[in-house]
Amino acid sequence: MTFTVTAPGGLTITVPDGPVNLGSGAPGTQISGPLGPVTVSDQRAALTATWVASMIAAPAGFTTGGGTAAETVPTSAVLYWSGTATTTGTGTFVPGQIDAAAAQTLDVVRTAYSKTTGSGNNSATWTPTIVINVPAQAVAGT
């Protein structure tokens, strides 16, 4: 007798379909809010089913109006923390930043979540928090 185990799909990631409104704040304050659910779905049925999901902000920062210095929030003022995930499958799932104290700036590529051991199909869903340190010289804009 023979049989075949098939892999129903590949490795996918789904993220919120923006824009996402994090709220508002005055110059020199902090704005914080959830990005929305992020899901990695690994349907490769792999013997070594590991993966890494990464995050980085737009290199030019976030701008409004003419994009002058006062109309720009640099990526170094934007922080991210993944928090915990709801997972399926076996193996070790590792948050990039477990809580607000571990938040990291998004001026370079950061690990959002990873799966470091295990086999077979799996998934992880987390709702990261974005923190914006509004520069003191910022002007009003969206």
Side-chain angles (χ1 to χ4, degrees), residues 4-141:
T4 303
V5 176
T6 61
L11 181 64
T12 60
I13 186 167
T14 55
V15 297
D17 187 18
V20 175
N21 186 344
L22 298 177
S24 60
T29 65
Q30 199 173 70
I31 301 168
S32 177
L35 180 62
V38 175
T39 300
V40 170
S41 178
D42 185 351
Q43 300 298 304
R44 300 173 295 173
L47 179 60
T48 304
T50 61
W51 47 262
V52 176
S54 301
M55 181 79 169
I56 189 170
F62 299 90
T63 62
T64 189
T68 66
E71 297 170 303
T72 302
V73 175
T75 56
S76 59
V78 180
L79 295 102
Y80 174 100
W81 59 281
S82 54
T84 59
T86 301
T87 62
T88 65
T90 62
T92 304
F93 295 87
V94 181
Q97 310 77 24
I98 191 69
D99 56 25
Q104 294 179 303
T105 60
L106 290 179
D107 52 346
V108 297
V109 175
R110 304 290 186 177
T111 296
Y113 232 93
S114 61
K115 182 169 183 284
T116 58
T117 66
S119 61
N121 293 343
N122 62 85
S123 68
T125 300
W126 66 96
T127 302
T129 299
I130 302 295
V131 179
I132 311 291
N133 291 311
V134 182
Q137 77 281 4
V139 297

